[in-house]
Amino acid sequence: MSIRHAVPRYWTIQSKEAWEAAQEVGFLHGHPEHAMFIEPYHWMMSQMGQRLPGYDGSYPVWVWTEKPDMLQLHHYTGRAGCVCLTLELKHDEVLLSDFDEWHAVLNDTFNARTQREWQRYCAGRSVVTKEESWQRIFELQSSLVDVKKRNGNPTRRLQGVTGAVALDRVIRVEHLEEVLRERRLYHV
């Protein structure tokens, strides 16, 4: 009897069309036409090249370390349907980063850890460049000063990127349909 070592699980939300295309070619991969922020995507791809052994240079497939709550609008909107894929990928195949801090890269701004550091940067007195501050999105073990809390405990929302994903790494496919916009519930 062989013992199967636990391989980390990740989740990705894809359109039905992307899933159908993946089934035709035998793997799931990112597409430049879906990159809303092309320069930050290229920056992330360069980080993948430096940090992931065996990275194939393809556009990233974005994954989550926790299964996404499909009621949250930021995960999926605007299409007739989608799939949530559960993937098994090795640790060294996924570059993890802090979801909230990634927005500093997306917005081409300094990733400050404190208000004082932000003020120093704005005053031109920072010892850290904007691009150097972006590296912090990968520092997942460090403590944040202004960290969000869930149930009283500091938490980070982790996202990940990986290269092309072979279909044998997909262990579950859930087909989801978007609720009509007028039937959605909004909470304030």
Side-chain angles (χ1 to χ4, degrees):
M1 177 182 200
S2 72
I3 297 175
R4 186 167 184 235
H5 295 283
V7 177
R9 288 190 176 173
Y10 301 93
W11 291 265
T12 184
I13 305 299
Q14 300 292 325
S15 68
K16 284 183 179 179
E17 295 79 16
W19 175 235
E20 290 166 0
Q23 292 175 85
E24 288 179 21
V25 298
F27 58 90
L28 178 67
H29 58 90
H31 293 278
E33 62 268 14
H34 296 143
M36 293 172 41
F37 305 95
I38 199 73
E39 289 180 28
Y41 269 52
H42 285 170
W43 178 84
M44 183 62 85
M45 291 167 66
S46 73
Q47 296 301 307
M48 293 168 72
Q50 294 172 30
R51 297 168 184 263
L52 295 178
Y55 168 58
D56 62 6
S58 65
Y59 269 79
V61 173
W62 293 82
V63 299
W64 296 96
T65 59
E66 296 180 11
K67 186 175 181 180
D69 176 355
M70 292 308 296
L71 296 177
Q72 298 295 318
L73 298 179
H74 64 271
H75 284 297
Y76 172 75
T77 58
R79 292 175 285 218
C82 70
V83 293
C84 179
L85 305 175
T86 304
L87 312 173
E88 283 189 342
L89 301 168
K90 296 175 187 172
H91 288 291
D92 65 355
E93 295 176 307
V94 178
L95 177 58
L96 294 177
S97 62
D98 182 285
F99 173 74
D100 291 321
E101 288 187 333
W102 162 242
H103 288 81
V105 181
L106 287 178
N107 293 312
D108 192 29
T109 191
F110 186 76
N111 186 17
R113 290 275 166 93
T114 65
Q115 184 65 29
R116 181 176 178 186
E117 186 181 38
W118 174 253
Q119 291 168 345
R120 290 183 80 135
Y121 174 77
C122 291
R125 296 191 323 260
S126 177
V127 296
V128 177
T129 68
K130 175 179 64 176
E131 289 77 12
E132 289 170 337
S133 78
W134 294 350
Q135 298 298 320
R136 296 172 174 172
I137 73 172
F138 306 114
E139 297 172 2
L140 305 179
Q141 301 306 320
S142 65
S143 63
L144 289 174
V145 173
D146 299 322
V147 71
K148 290 184 178 182
K149 294 190 177 200
R150 183 186 315 168
N151 298 329
N153 298 317
T155 186
R156 286 180 148 172
R157 292 181 49 209
L158 299 182
Q159 63 182 3
V161 286
T162 189
V165 177
L167 292 190
D168 64 352
R169 308 304 280 289
V170 179
I171 62 167
R172 185 171 182 187
V173 179
E174 295 175 78
H175 293 267
L176 305 162
E177 295 295 327
E178 184 175 30
V179 177
L180 294 176
R181 216 174 261 289
E182 59 270 12
R183 296 181 65 199
R184 286 188 189 155
L185 298 176
Y186 291 89
H187 300 296
V188 187

